[in-house]
Amino acid sequence: MNDYLWDGSGEPDGDIEQLESLLRPLAYQAPAEPYAVSAVVAAAPVKRAPMYQWAIAAVVAFAALGLGFWMIRSQPPETVTVAALDQRQVSDLAWTERVIEPTVPAVPIESNHPVKAPRQTAAASGRSIRGSQRVLEERQEGRVAADQLLKALRITSDNLNIVKTKVNQVGASTPES
Amino acid sequence: MSEIDLAGNGILFPGQATAKVATASVTEISPEARLVVRVRNGDQDAFGELYGRYAAMVHGILLARVPRAEVDDLAQDVFLSAYKNLGSLRNSNAIGPWLAMITRNRAMEFYRREKKTEELVDDVPVRASSLTEATEVLTIIRSLPDAYKETLVLRLVEGMTGPEIAERTGLKPDSVRVNLHRGMKMLREKLGIGVRS
């Protein structure tokens, strides 16, 4: 093989020299100033994630939403007992007759009328107690359902944040080559 | 410098996405590898030095594949991509072959985005007759097989010697020698100049 073609040594080849002379103007021209990578990076356009990545993110978001609701629905409902009701919940039942201790009204001592114990209300009966308990249970179930819904929304929001972070990472790390 | 063996014994490499490095023969860190380490430590000037060492190679590989008007922009893309993804380079000694691979991939991506299958013709002003002739010869070189046209452009246009081409691109010296010889033979035939054995 012609050494001149390999490493430029030996007897020059006329054709090769002619081609070199002809093609050299097309060669890379080093810039006058040193290459500044910071300037290139700063001038590079910000690449947005391709459409398919947004589609993947949407699918993952919907899957996360469905998973969140499935997790909530798979949880056993909380058992509500009357004993678990606190005073606050009991006091909320403004229209419900409550079992109260019969009280003796304050009557002046000098009154001549004998003091009679007030007649007990219907709430004192067993039937009213059971009704009020049922109402309290329903109220508690409603609160539990509301809490579960909030929990599901919180889980979904967390999942969406994770998806968003991953999409940004994918978009940022997507190579040019 | 370690031997770099691309699939196909270095003769055919378009589309090859990986470059194997014979790490067993590497016993020392090359100057380029030291630059890579410095860049990873945040030394941007070191990347400027890497640019200076490999710009001609990147330019030549692109010139062999894409229109001249696109070469400079694509070269910027290549180095920007290399800068951003330098952390993924496992062997710092293979910075040259790695850059060459990115360059070839970028050239392929250019045609995928442009959705053009035929060779693009450079638009050169008529007044520069020598440049027109050079562009015509370049067009003929581009019509050769990928392995031949790349080594011929690096040799005849960028002025790199065979050993330099082997070192920078990671091809075996014998592969480069064969590509140069066969490529030159085909070029002579197409140009109608003296064919030498």
Side-chain angles (χ1 to χ4, degrees), chain A residues 80 135-148:
Chain A
V80 179
V135 170
L136 290 175
E137 289 174 10
E138 290 173 355
R139 284 284 179 98
Q140 182 63 13
E141 285 177 5
R143 283 203 177 87
V144 169
D147 288 342
Q148 288 177 345

Side-chain angles (χ1 to χ4, degrees), chain B residues 13-41:
Chain B
F13 40 72
Q16 302 299 335
T18 58
K20 286 189 246 183
V21 178
T23 55
S25 61
V26 175
T27 56
E28 58 185 38
I29 299 177
S30 63
E32 292 79 14
R34 294 183 195 279
L35 288 175
V36 171
V37 172
R38 283 172 54 191
V39 173
R40 284 178 174 155
N41 290 334

Side-chain angles (χ1 to χ4, degrees), chain B:
Chain B
M1 181 70 181
S2 62
E3 290 287 338
I4 308 298
D5 179 21
L6 299 176
N9 293 325
I11 294 180
L12 297 175
F13 40 72
Q16 302 299 335
T18 58
K20 286 189 246 183
V21 178
T23 55
S25 61
V26 175
T27 56
E28 58 185 38
I29 299 177
S30 63
E32 292 79 14
R34 294 183 195 279
L35 288 175
V36 171
V37 172
R38 283 172 54 191
V39 173
R40 284 178 174 155
N41 290 334
D43 187 351
Q44 293 189 352
D45 291 341
F47 192 79
E49 291 187 45
L50 277 177
Y51 178 90
R53 288 179 190 235
Y54 291 103
M57 180 196 76
V58 170
H59 186 272
I61 292 175
L62 288 172
L63 191 64
R65 288 171 164 79
V66 301
R68 277 184 58 224
E70 306 293 338
V71 169
D72 289 338
D73 287 342
L74 293 179
Q76 288 282 48
D77 288 350
V78 167
F79 281 102
L80 187 61
S81 173
Y83 180 75
K84 288 182 177 178
N85 297 291
L86 204 57
S88 66
L89 176 61
R90 277 178 277 184
N91 183 0
S92 300
N93 284 315
I95 178 67
W98 185 69
L99 273 173
M101 179 187 68
I102 294 175
T103 307
R104 295 182 195 112
N105 290 340
R106 189 64 188 89
M108 285 194 293
E109 186 183 344
F110 166 78
Y111 280 108
R112 274 200 300 269
R113 287 185 180 181
E114 294 295 316
K115 294 182 181 176
K116 286 185 171 69
T117 55
E118 67 277 6
E119 187 80 8
L120 295 176
V121 179
D122 284 320
D123 185 17
V124 179
V126 179
R127 55 181 172 82
S129 59
S130 61
L131 204 55
T132 303
E133 188 179 355
T135 307
E136 290 175 356
V137 172
L138 181 62
T139 303
I140 295 174
I141 293 176
R142 283 187 185 147
S143 68
L144 301 177
D146 286 345
Y148 301 164
K149 67 184 178 186
E150 181 173 301
T151 50
L152 280 178
V153 167
L154 291 175
R155 173 65 182 88
L156 299 176
V157 179
E158 303 296 342
M160 294 168 64
T161 63
E164 286 174 345
I165 294 171
E167 182 186 349
R168 303 272 172 89
T169 63
L171 294 170
K172 289 180 179 176
D174 288 343
S175 299
V176 174
R177 186 184 285 263
V178 168
N179 291 343
L180 281 176
H181 174 69
R182 293 179 181 174
M184 194 63 213
K185 184 178 177 183
M186 289 182 68
L187 182 59
R188 288 179 196 271
E189 291 172 355
K190 287 181 180 265
L191 291 175
I193 56 180
V195 177
R196 306 192 180 192
S197 59

Side-chain angles (χ1 to χ4, degrees), chain A residues 2-81:
Chain A
N2 188 340
D3 287 335
Y4 184 78
L5 179 61
W6 170 241
D7 58 7
S9 63
E11 188 178 341
D13 185 310
D15 294 334
I16 296 175
E17 277 187 315
Q18 194 174 359
L19 286 169
E20 285 178 313
S21 170
L22 180 67
L23 296 170
R24 196 53 53 84
L26 303 178
Y28 165 73
Q29 306 290 336
E33 295 180 359
Y35 180 80
V37 65
S38 57
V40 175
V41 171
V46 176
K47 286 205 71 174
R48 295 185 179 276
M51 286 303 296
Y52 74 87
Q53 290 186 349
W54 288 113
I56 292 174
V59 170
V60 172
F62 279 117
L65 194 66
L67 180 65
F69 278 114
W70 177 80
M71 288 173 63
I72 296 303
R73 286 178 62 82
S74 65
Q75 289 181 3
E78 295 181 19
T79 304
V80 179
T81 59

